[in-house]
Structures are given as C-alpha cells and as structure tokens.
Amino acid sequence: MSETQFGLMHGQERSHWIRLRTLILLRWVAIAGQIIAILVAQYMYNLQLVLPLCFLAVGIAVTGNLVATLMFPENKRLSEFENFLMVLFDLMQLAFLLSLTGGLHNPFALLVLAPVTISAAMMGLRSTLIIGGTAIMLVTLMAEFHIPLRTEQGFLLRVPDVFVFGNWTAIVIAILFIGFYSFRISTEIRSMSDALSATQLALSREQKLTDLGGVVAAAAHELGTPLATIKLASAELLDELDDRPDLREDAALIREQADRCRDILRSMGRAGKDDLHLRQAPLSTVIHEAAEPHMDRGTTVVFHEAPLEDGSLQQPTILRKPEIIHGLRNLVQNAVDFAGSTVWIDAAWDDEKIEVRISDDGRGFPSQMLGRIGDPFMKRRRSGSDRRKRPGYEGMGLGLFIAKTLLERSGANLRFTNGSAPLPGLILPKERRGAIVEVSWPRDKVDALKGENAVPTGKNRRIEI
C-alpha cells in the first residue's frame, strides 16, 4: 500500500492538539507559586525584595492570562506560532522575576527548564532551538545582572562564584540534554502514533474489502438458484416457441441476460463467500491471494510449498485473517519493488510452526539498517538508479512497519536478513542474494483446525457495509 495514502499529521499540525485553556491553567498554577514564594521570602524569612517590581512581574503574567481568557474561546487550540509565543512569554516573565530575586543565587533558577521541556514536547525543531537558545542567553545574563538578595539586617545572600558557575553550567547542560531528550522521545511517540493510526486504517480498509467481497460472493451464491431457474425456463420456452419467432427472440434474450448476470456476479465475488468455511483456506491459497496484486509487475514470483523435516505432507489450513493477507502483501510488494528479476516465496510447516520466507535477487537490506527494519518512516534502501526506475515509491518505511505490525498482531515473529549473510541454519541458492524476510507463526495461532480456531461451519453471518 502506498504510504502517501495516509494523511499523517506533521509537527505543525500537532500543535493544534494543545488547548489554550490548558496553558492558561498551568500559568495560573505558576502564578500562584510565584506569589507564595514572594510572600514566604518577604514575611517568613524577612528577605528585602523589591516588592513593586516583583509584583509587576507577576502582574504581567496575570494580565496575559486575563487577556487570553477574555479574547479567545475556551476550546481555542493553538497553532505552532501561538504556542511558541506563549512559551516564550512565560520564559521571559520567569527570567525577569528571577533577575529581581537574586538571579542564579536563587534556587528557583532551575525552573527555566520548564518552558524548554514544554517546547521540546509539543513544538517543532526550530521553535525548540529558539526557546532553548533564549533560555541559555537569559541564564547567562542572570549570572551577571540581577538584584541581590538581602536579609532584614542588610546582609547580602550569595553563593560563592564557583557555585554560581556550577549552577550556570548545570542549567545549560540540563537545557541541552532535557531539551534534546524530550524532543527525541516526543518525536518517536508521534511517529509511532501516526504509524499505528496508518496501520489501523490499512487493516480497516482490508477488512472492508474482504467483507465487500464476501457480500458480493454471497449474493452470487444466493442468486445462483433463481438465475438457473430463469435460464432453464427460458430454454424450455425456446423449444416451444419455434413457430413464434418474435417471442422466441425474447426468450433467447432472457437466457442471455441470465448468463450475463451470472458472469458479473462470479467476477465480482472472487474473494469467496463470507461464511465460516471460507474464512479459512489452505496455506498456499492465502499466500497466492496475498501476492496476486504484484504478480504482473514485470517480476517473476516463484512459489514453493513443502513440509519441514518432521512435518506432515498435508498442507495446513489457516485462517484468512486480513492481518495476515495484508501483511504478507506488503512484504511481497517490498520484495517485488527491489528485486532484480525474481522473487521467491517459500512456505513450510510442521506440527509446531508455520513459516513463510520471502526472498529476492536484489541488492538486499543495507547492513547498517538491519536492526531498524520495521521502524516507521525509515529512509529508502535503493540507489539513485532505483529511484529513477520507480520514482513514485518511497519504500522501506511505513509499508514494512504496517506489515510487521499486522503480522505480529496475528502471532507471527519476523526476521530480516540478506542472502549474503543468511540466518543461522538457513542455506539458500546463490541467486537469492537479496533481502530475506522470514515470517514464523506458532501453528496453534493460525491453524484453522486447531484449538480455539477450530470453529465448525455454521450459518452465514450478516455483514453491514
């Protein structure tokens, strides 16, 4: 499935997830904390603060909150730029208040990390870099330019210069580390969230196609008897209307249209009737169904089915789950896209497991990426000549992630390697020098005749489309 089919959200669109009301509430909490800290320092510890300027700094935050509350509706969601301005405003207001209360001699100076962390978690790289750079600049200025803290007796409260430098160094390192850490983790979470949404969409689409095919096939099955009756009656009329050519022509037309209806329903119902019996199929049938869309793309696809060393000659019957079909289809698509001329699909089984191996004669996976295959939004694995050959295909990104996720959901384990460095115990012909993907299921997970999967054929279920 093409990755461009999914309208995935990017960084700037993510900012619309943050409500203005949420940031306003957080700012009220910060304002309450600032007021409490000022009052405790002034009246409990008798520190000589410049109260008018301190309350001016707090008043600026209060005014900003009131303006935002009155001007915008409660359900207002902020854009990337609006989020940036809100966080920058909070950072500047906090730095102003800290500069009035001792600068880096104030233990609350570490709170400048909060705006940087928020920026890294919900904004893009550029906004995060600007916020982080601004925070470092403000911390540096506060180390030199600030109003000292004094006791009631006029004694100066300050830490030694070495500790000031240590505080500055610690805060700067924390800004860089926590900012990078938060941005990296949030990016990973966003990518995974988008990819899982795309996976669910792909599975839903496959399920709808399967259900639609079942509805059409069921209609063809149910309409078979009346169409056969119409055809039989029209044939008898043809025999009895030899002396009535005008009526005989109408009877022939009825039989012809009945045949046409049968052919149309048969062609539309290739997926099979959706009853409990046809929700299962032999392993080779499911594999051929998964590979069918990529059989006529200029690459030879070779199938081979055989039991493992201790396996029975009887081919297993497995569940026709959309996860299995769509997952295998994406793996076959990837192999066909990067193969030189041939793709091999090998199926094997025994009493314990079922294996499907997809290999090709292409260039294989880059060795440095083998450990990351299946992660969402990876870069493509082909060269410039390959891109010119297939300019519209990205590859090695969301498609493999969807395949891996869907197949693992069905109980499968996946392993990726190259023909030049095959898996231990795996011996393949030299022509299979390209990528190799091995999918293995515990047999009781997909075998339609074992365990909880062994459901007898019953009454057809009704499918709502």
Side-chain angles (χ1 to χ4, degrees):
M1 179 173 292
S2 173
E3 298 163 25
T4 58
Q5 293 178 6
F6 302 105
L8 300 179
M9 297 186 183
H10 300 288
Q12 289 196 349
E13 295 172 345
R14 291 272 180 182
S15 64
H16 290 288
W17 290 10
I18 308 299
R19 292 188 305 167
L20 175 63
R21 186 177 182 181
T22 300
L23 294 184
I24 289 176
L25 178 61
L26 293 177
R27 187 180 289 168
W28 282 125
V29 174
I31 290 171
Q34 292 172 3
I35 293 174
I36 292 173
I38 291 172
L39 295 178
V40 169
Q42 178 72 29
Y43 298 106
M44 182 177 294
Y45 293 99
N46 298 316
L47 299 181
Q48 300 304 303
L49 302 178
V50 187
L51 286 181
L53 291 179
C54 290
F55 283 114
L56 172 64
V58 176
I60 292 173
V62 172
T63 303
N65 253 12
L66 292 176
V67 170
T69 302
L70 296 175
M71 290 187 61
F72 300 100
E74 290 186 359
N75 60 351
K76 164 73 174 176
R77 295 190 180 273
L78 301 177
S79 66
E80 171 87 5
F81 184 66
E82 290 169 338
N83 263 317
F84 169 76
L85 292 180
M86 289 283 288
V87 174
L88 184 62
F89 174 84
D90 290 334
L91 177 62
M92 299 290 288
Q93 185 268 341
L94 177 61
F96 177 46
L97 183 59
L98 288 172
S99 68
L100 298 174
T101 54
L104 294 190
H105 299 273
N106 188 331
F108 288 103
L110 59 87
L111 289 176
V112 298
L113 296 175
V116 177
T117 304
I118 293 174
S119 172
M122 68 181 185
M123 283 187 273
L125 179 60
R126 183 175 63 179
S127 299
T128 301
L129 290 176
I130 295 175
I131 294 293
T134 303
I136 293 175
M137 181 185 67
L138 292 174
V139 170
T140 303
L141 291 175
M142 282 191 295
E144 294 294 333
F145 306 103
H146 57 270
I147 297 178
L149 291 172
R150 295 183 182 274
T151 64
E152 187 177 14
Q153 293 78 21
F155 295 111
L156 189 65
L157 290 180
R158 55 174 295 135
V159 297
D161 290 342
V162 65
F163 284 99
V164 173
F165 178 74
N167 287 340
W168 177 85
T169 304
I171 292 174
V172 170
I173 292 175
I175 288 173
L176 296 175
F177 175 76
I178 294 178
F180 174 77
Y181 182 84
S182 300
F183 182 80
R184 182 73 178 180
I185 293 300
S186 63
T187 300
E188 292 278 347
I189 293 174
R190 292 170 185 174
S191 297
M192 187 62 67
S193 175
D194 285 343
L196 289 174
S197 298
T199 302
Q200 192 62 38
L201 179 61
L203 180 59
S204 175
R205 178 178 178 272
E206 187 69 25
Q207 184 65 59
K208 285 185 177 295
L209 291 176
T210 301
D211 289 346
L212 182 59
V215 168
V216 175
H221 177 80
E222 300 297 337
L223 290 175
T225 299
L227 287 174
T229 302
I230 293 172
K231 183 177 179 180
L232 178 61
S234 60
E236 291 179 353
L237 287 174
L238 283 173
D239 295 337
E240 296 177 4
L241 294 174
D242 289 336
D243 56 340
R244 300 286 300 276
D246 53 338
L247 296 179
R248 192 176 191 280
E249 184 177 339
D250 292 339
L253 180 61
I254 291 174
R255 185 174 68 172
E256 178 185 343
Q257 295 303 309
D259 288 338
R260 184 181 178 190
C261 289
R262 179 201 61 197
D263 295 338
I264 291 174
L265 290 172
R266 181 179 298 169
S267 64
M268 293 175 64
R270 295 174 64 192
K273 185 180 177 183
D274 185 50
D275 59 25
L276 294 177
H277 179 69
L278 289 179
R279 275 191 279 164
Q280 58 193 40
L283 175 61
S284 61
T285 301
V286 174
I287 294 174
H288 280 72
E289 181 179 349
E292 183 181 10
H294 307 291
M295 296 288 291
D296 300 320
R297 295 180 52 198
T299 300
T300 302
V301 180
V302 180
F303 297 90
H304 179 260
E305 297 92 19
L308 294 170
E309 184 176 352
D310 299 326
S312 169
L313 293 176
Q314 178 65 39
Q315 187 175 146
T317 298
I318 68 172
L319 300 173
R320 291 182 64 255
K321 291 184 176 180
E323 299 99 313
I324 296 176
I325 295 174
H326 191 82
L328 290 177
R329 183 170 296 161
N330 274 15
L331 293 180
V332 173
Q333 175 184 342
N334 189 74
V336 170
D337 280 321
F338 297 115
S341 60
T342 308
V343 171
W344 294 269
I345 303 177
D346 302 308
W349 61 87
D350 59 18
D351 293 338
E352 300 297 328
K353 63 182 178 180
I354 295 175
E355 294 181 351
V356 176
R357 185 181 304 113
I358 302 172
S359 55
D360 60 65
D361 59 352
R363 299 185 179 183
F365 300 116
S367 57
Q368 71 273 15
M369 297 176 66
L370 278 174
R372 297 182 54 212
I373 293 175
D375 287 350
F377 310 111
M378 287 181 61
K379 295 182 183 294
R380 53 175 76 92
R381 69 169 164 105
R382 63 177 186 269
S383 65
S385 60
D386 294 323
R387 286 193 292 270
R388 288 190 295 271
K389 185 177 178 181
R390 297 181 179 93
Y393 183 70
E394 292 296 322
M396 284 262 336
L398 196 55
L400 273 183
F401 172 83
I402 291 174
K404 186 173 183 290
T405 303
L406 292 179
L407 290 172
E408 288 177 345
R409 177 174 175 172
S410 70
N413 293 313
L414 280 78
R415 294 193 293 177
F416 301 87
T417 188
N418 288 320
S420 57
L423 298 168
L426 178 60
I427 301 176
L428 294 174
K430 292 183 178 180
E431 61 267 19
R432 305 192 189 189
R433 61 183 181 275
I436 300 173
V437 182
E438 186 177 279
V439 187
S440 177
W441 291 270
R443 184 155 176 169
D444 57 357
K445 291 288 187 180
V446 293
D447 195 319
L449 304 180
K450 286 190 175 183
E452 62 182 13
N453 299 327
V455 181
T457 302
K459 185 177 180 181
N460 297 345
R461 66 184 178 92
R462 181 177 180 180
I463 302 176
E464 301 293 341
I465 298 295

